[in-house]
Amino acid sequence: MRTLNTRHLVLATLLAAGTAQAGTVNIESWRVDDKALWEEVLIPAFQKKEPRHSS
């Protein structure tokens, strides 16, 4: 049996990453002080940078 080299491992990782499923991320915090930060700053910034991951 041949051992896998780095090239094969990278290829296997990329193929595995391509099979990822879409899902929902729920962000919860016990700190109500953080709600505005998440809703007005962090989530919109992420959605702007990654529009294909936005709902």
Side-chain angles (χ1 to χ4, degrees):
M1 186 168 121
R2 279 179 28 185
T3 59
L4 294 177
N5 64 23
T6 303
R7 190 176 193 184
H8 290 111
L9 291 174
V10 170
L11 179 60
T13 302
L14 291 174
L15 290 173
T19 62
Q21 299 280 327
T24 302
V25 175
N26 294 320
I27 301 171
E28 297 181 19
S29 174
W30 58 271
R31 291 178 37 98
V32 282
D33 301 348
D34 294 341
K35 184 176 180 182
L37 174 67
W38 280 102
E39 292 178 348
E40 298 170 12
V41 178
L42 299 174
I43 293 173
F46 174 79
Q47 290 173 331
K48 183 178 179 182
K49 185 174 180 188
E50 298 290 340
R52 65 186 177 150
H53 297 296
S54 301
S55 54

